[in-house]
Amino acid sequence: MSEIKRLLNEDAERTSTLEKQKKLFEKKIEKYQRLIQTVNTSLEYTRKGENMDHKVMFKGFESAEEWKQSLAEQNGYLKERYDFELDTHTINVDEMNKMAIEAKHFLDRMADFLRNGVTYHDPSVQEHVMNHLKFLNQNGHPTSKEDYVKQTRFFMQDDFHRGMLEEQQASLSNYLVVVAEHL
């Protein structure tokens, strides 16, 4: 805090600091505008009764810098809470977008299963999770069933990650754990 005060007290540095903050806020506004556009497009498809291609639904980011900014909050949290830092120095934009599309598709479907009362042992739920694990393994993210159980337990126990899942669908974090434990 004292460092921030010192910077704000120095006029030349203050201007630079404020310009940087302004740019960060403008980037966030752009990101939210893209998200609003995606939601509006999704609403149009839903009203027409059509399914929307996941590539249309998730535009992704165009640069490594956009990904770094998107991951900044999570990275800061992980560093502070667990002394762990995500590697944001070697971001492959296409790969990150591909993984994000898969994650969105996976979580959207899991949330739909939960909303519709589909139980953890339903074959369609089990198949969906197994297809997700297969995708991860085929795309450079080796994940066993045991790894997946640990990951879902972490998401449920960790406030930041549980909050992200619960924003999407109430009890989603718990549902993911129960499904994972019964694979």
Side-chain angles (χ1 to χ4, degrees):
M1 287 298 256
S2 62
E3 179 67 18
I4 294 171
K5 286 181 184 178
R6 185 187 66 74
L7 287 174
L8 290 176
N9 288 334
E10 298 173 15
D11 284 342
E13 300 245 353
R14 183 173 190 233
T15 300
S16 174
T17 301
L18 291 171
E19 286 293 331
K20 287 177 186 174
Q21 284 296 314
K22 178 183 171 194
K23 285 181 183 179
L24 287 173
F25 287 131
E26 288 171 343
K27 289 280 190 186
K28 285 185 179 186
I29 288 169
E30 288 174 24
K31 175 184 169 186
Y32 286 120
Q33 287 174 333
R34 280 196 308 267
L35 290 172
I36 290 169
Q37 183 180 13
T38 299
V39 169
N40 284 337
T41 303
S42 183
L43 280 169
E44 288 176 30
Y45 275 81
T46 301
R47 287 182 180 133
K48 292 178 192 175
E50 298 174 3
N51 287 329
M52 189 168 144
D53 184 333
H54 287 284
K55 290 179 182 169
V56 172
M57 191 181 317
F58 180 84
K59 184 178 182 300
F61 295 115
E62 295 177 10
S63 72
E65 188 57 37
E66 286 180 301
W67 269 109
K68 286 179 188 177
Q69 289 175 3
S70 175
L71 294 169
E73 181 183 3
Q74 180 180 15
N75 204 17
Y77 172 81
L78 290 171
K79 186 166 177 69
E80 180 182 316
R81 175 87 183 210
Y82 301 103
D83 195 30
F84 175 83
E85 194 167 353
L86 297 171
D87 176 15
T88 58
H89 302 295
T90 57
I91 290 178
N92 178 320
V93 174
D94 291 335
E95 284 301 311
M96 290 292 285
N97 285 338
K98 180 179 175 181
M99 298 307 291
I101 289 168
E102 168 62 18
K104 178 163 180 33
H105 168 71
F106 174 72
L107 289 174
D108 285 352
R109 187 88 189 275
M110 294 302 285
D112 285 342
F113 285 139
L114 178 58
R115 264 191 300 279
N116 293 313
V118 182
T119 62
Y120 67 88
H121 61 279
D122 186 285
S124 58
V125 173
Q126 298 286 310
E127 180 181 1
H128 184 61
V129 173
M130 294 307 293
N131 285 338
H132 179 62
L133 294 179
K134 182 178 177 183
F135 175 89
L136 293 174
N137 282 295
Q138 290 175 341
N139 287 277
H141 299 277
T143 309
S144 68
K145 289 179 188 179
E146 295 77 21
D147 294 334
Y148 181 65
V149 170
K150 289 176 188 174
Q151 182 184 47
T152 60
R153 286 180 183 155
F154 170 77
F155 288 162
M156 189 167 117
Q157 295 169 357
D158 180 75
D159 293 337
F160 181 87
H161 293 89
R162 185 179 61 251
M164 288 191 321
L165 292 168
E166 298 301 309
E167 278 182 24
Q168 183 168 356
Q169 174 63 43
S171 298
L172 182 57
S173 57
N174 187 54
Y175 185 70
L176 291 173
V177 171
V178 172
V179 170
E181 290 175 342
H182 291 90
L183 285 176

